[in-house]
Every structure is written in C-alpha cells, then in structure tokens.
Amino acid sequence: MTQALQAPTSVPRHVAIVMDGNGRWASQRHLPRLAGHKKGVDALRRAVQASLDQGVSVLTVFAFSSENWSRPAAEVAGLMDLLSLVLDREVESLAANGVRLHFPGDRAGLSERVAQGLAAAEARTAHNQRLVLNVCFNYGGRWDIAHAARRLVAEGREITEKNLSEATALAHVGDPDLLIRTGGEMRISNFLLWQSAYTELFFSACLWPDFDDLEMARALKAYAERERRFGQIGEQVQQPIGPQYA
C-alpha cells in the first residue's frame, strides 16, 4: 500500500489547476472522449475536498478555454450538457460545505441556459466563505487581459498594473500561489497569464481523471519546499509579499 505523504507545513492560499488529460484517459480505455470529461468531474470533487481539508482558501480550475470551441461539435455540445448536469447535482452539496462559486470567463459566447445556470450557482453560494471555487469557463488569459483593458478605457481609468489587476476576471481572489497542470504537458496554455507572473508551477504526469489526494499532496509538498522571493534575494525574504497577502 502506498504510504500517504505528510501534510506540508506551508499551504498555498490560492491553488490553480489546468485539468488536462480527460480525452487521453478515455482513449486509453477505448471510451468516448466525453467519458473522460465525466470521470474528470470526480477528480474535481476530490480536489475540492482536498482543498477544504488542507486549508486552501481559493481553488481555480480551467474547465473550458476560449480555444476549446474548435473541438468537434459533438464534444463541445457534450461539455455544455455536462456542465448543466454538474450544476444541477453539485451546487447544493458545495453550498452546504461552505464553497462559494465563481465562473470567470466570457458569457457572451454561452447559451442562455448555461449562462443562467452559472449565475444561479453564483447567487446560491454567494455568502459562503470556507473556499472560493473559480471554475474558468469560456476563459482565456489573453481574453482576460484585453477585456480588462477595454473595461478601464470604458471607465476612463488609466491603464496601470494596479488598475489592470483590479479589472481582471479574478480580481476578487488575488494571484495564485501554485499552478498545477496534469497530463504531462509543460505549459500553461493561455491560463491566468496576467495572474501567474510569480506563481509556482507544478507539472504532473497524472491524467486528470486519476488525480487524487496523494497527487495533490505531492504538489503541495513541492510548493512547501520552495522559496518564493518575488524579485528579492533569499536573505531578504521573511514572509510572502505578493499583493494577495496585503
């Protein structure tokens, strides 16, 4: 039996995950790609529980990118149906566990049914404070930066780093401390480009449907062993100095 890893002594406040490998997981088992996405929901459920257990305050996951529209139409339609199903089945349980839902992304490209479902889930969990769960849907890092810039122009505000940060889709949670990507790929694929300037990266060979508590513990342990300097030298660093700790 695999021995569980000890809990890390330094837990990231905000963890982000690129949930990659659903399609490959299904292909390896000669199943339709959508079967992998459905199995990936179980992995997300485990990641949420692990975040609650470990004391993570914010979990942000990449569920559907602005580039995913180019996938086969049947897969895209299946993902939209799966999202609606998950909202119907999971929101009450998440609300009962103190999870607050946000869905950063461009809702202009979504159907009225999906957009209304996202808004209802956000409203239902709006007062929860135990964990913020950002499910980035129809999201892209370049879209986020461009959208924030357009917002500042429309409001007549100067485009500065501070103002741009405040106008992005994840301004409500601050920057991620740790970004995990599963599936063996070593890139961030247009995810949280602005927010990840000083984020620690952890790449896992594990396909997303197989992501479990042990793999989450490996990522958190790797994070705890690193020194975050934010441009300073090691001797200067006494405590995290990123804006999310202000």
Side-chain angles (χ1 to χ4, degrees), residues 112-128:
E112 183 177 355
R113 175 176 67 102
V114 170
Q116 288 179 349
L118 301 185
E122 288 179 333
R124 173 67 181 85
T125 61
H127 300 294
N128 291 340

Side-chain angles (χ1 to χ4, degrees), residues 27-173:
S27 296
Q28 289 175 2
R29 290 158 178 79
H30 307 290
L31 297 170
R33 288 178 59 85
L34 191 58
H37 294 299
K38 290 179 179 178
K39 196 68 175 178
V41 174
D42 295 335
L44 177 55
R45 193 181 296 113
R46 291 192 296 268
V48 169
Q49 188 59 54
S51 297
L52 291 167
D53 293 343
Q54 293 286 355
V56 173
S57 297
V58 182
L59 177 64
T60 299
V61 298
F62 206 5
F64 188 85
S65 79
S66 50
E67 288 79 29
N68 286 157
W69 292 106
S70 62
R71 293 188 175 187
E75 182 176 352
V76 172
L79 286 169
M80 296 300 163
D81 290 340
L82 180 60
L83 173 62
S84 297
L85 181 64
V86 169
L87 290 175
D88 289 340
R89 292 182 176 179
E90 302 291 336
V91 170
E92 288 305 316
S93 175
L94 290 169
N97 279 289
V99 178
R100 181 175 183 177
L101 281 163
H102 285 273
F103 295 92
D106 185 5
R107 299 195 190 178
L110 304 179
S111 69
E112 183 177 355
R113 175 176 67 102
V114 170
Q116 288 179 349
L118 301 185
E122 288 179 333
R124 173 67 181 85
T125 61
H127 300 294
N128 291 340
Q129 298 182 359
R130 190 177 174 197
L131 174 72
V132 176
L133 175 58
N134 297 305
V135 180
C136 295
F137 203 86
N138 199 23
Y139 174 91
R142 291 179 176 179
W143 165 85
D144 195 6
I145 296 169
H147 183 267
R150 288 195 299 269
R151 176 179 169 184
L152 293 179
V153 170
E155 295 174 357
R157 299 169 62 191
E158 183 182 2
I159 298 179
T160 64
E161 288 190 22
K162 179 177 182 296
N163 288 346
L164 198 60
S165 292
E166 292 173 352
T168 62
L170 279 91
H172 59 289
V173 290

Side-chain angles (χ1 to χ4, degrees), residues 1 16 59 74 140 150 216 226 228 233:
M1 183 174 67
L59 177 64
R150 288 195 299 269
M216 174 69 99
R226 300 180 190 180
R228 305 185 71 199
I233 63 173

